[in-house]
Amino acid sequence: MKTYRLSAAGRRNVVVLLVAALLIWVFALWSFASTLRISYNPVQFWPSLQESLAAGLSVGQVVPALLMLVLIVATPLLIWALLAEWAAAYTPGPDGLRFESLGVSVVCPWNRVRSVQPVDADADEPFDELLLDGDPSTQIGHPVARFLHRQAWGANRLPIYPGLEERDELLAAIRSALEAASRAERAAAPA
């Protein structure tokens, strides 16, 4: 059984996106502190926050601070999703498609895969996803990894990343296995 991983070009794209996400996160941390005039020093954090709140916050401080707070929380989730893409491995087998990445290991049985569909047909790079019956993330033992996987893709989806090496071959193998599973179900169904 062949395992499909990101190509060198796909890895470069992920690295560029990771660097951009880290820069955005650092900017958000800096901007949040400077907007509210607080210090991240553990000893001075609470006193500086209390002092800033006691002085009163204007709309010109609250709105940017809330935006930066959203970025501070959301960017690590994006970074995890990018690292999961970096480590993604797909192995089609007779029992289903095995997906592994960052502590996530799930098998999507062929009879539980509804379809393979493009996410955005107009995108520069093709991006597909498997639509599944059921939630494969229940196979993930670690609750944090399960939460992060669901947060990134939802309960009934599995991404087929655009930067995969021999991606078309993987998609052909998935479609072929889905057709074989569909024929087997029809043959087993009572007449």
Side-chain angles (χ1 to χ4, degrees):
M1 291 183 285
K2 184 173 182 178
T3 299
Y4 299 86
R5 299 182 187 280
L6 279 186
S7 65
R11 289 182 185 268
R12 280 192 299 275
N13 287 342
V14 169
V15 167
V16 168
L17 293 172
L18 276 170
V19 168
L22 287 170
L23 289 173
I24 288 170
W25 193 62
V26 168
F27 171 75
L29 284 170
W30 171 79
S31 184
F32 184 76
S34 66
T35 299
L36 296 180
R37 293 192 255 340
I38 60 173
S39 171
Y40 285 129
N41 181 332
V43 175
Q44 297 174 346
F45 179 76
W46 288 112
S48 66
L49 181 60
Q50 290 172 340
E51 182 180 315
S52 180
L53 292 174
L57 299 175
S58 68
V59 172
Q61 289 175 297
V62 172
V63 172
L66 288 176
L67 177 62
M68 293 305 119
L69 185 60
V70 168
L71 287 174
I72 289 168
V73 172
T75 303
L77 296 174
L78 170 64
I79 290 170
W80 183 89
L82 290 170
L83 291 173
E85 181 177 351
W86 174 276
Y90 301 86
T91 308
D95 57 339
L97 180 67
R98 176 174 293 282
F99 173 76
E100 298 177 331
S101 179
L102 296 183
V104 172
S105 180
V106 296
V107 176
C108 302
W110 297 123
N111 63 353
R112 304 292 291 179
V113 178
R114 279 188 280 152
S115 66
V116 179
Q117 72 177 23
V119 173
D120 184 6
D122 296 331
D124 292 337
E125 291 184 342
F127 191 95
D128 296 288
E129 63 185 3
L130 295 180
L131 296 179
L132 308 168
D133 285 332
D135 183 1
S137 66
T138 57
Q139 300 172 35
I140 303 169
H142 197 280
V144 174
R146 186 179 327 114
F147 167 77
L148 290 170
H149 181 74
R150 280 185 185 156
Q151 196 66 26
W153 298 109
N156 301 327
R157 293 178 172 5
L158 185 70
I160 306 293
Y161 294 111
L164 289 174
E165 198 162 11
E166 299 175 351
R167 185 175 184 283
D168 292 333
E169 182 180 306
L170 171 63
L171 288 171
I174 291 170
R175 288 187 175 106
S176 174
L178 290 176
E179 288 173 14
S182 176
R183 281 193 303 271
E185 281 184 16
R186 283 194 305 268

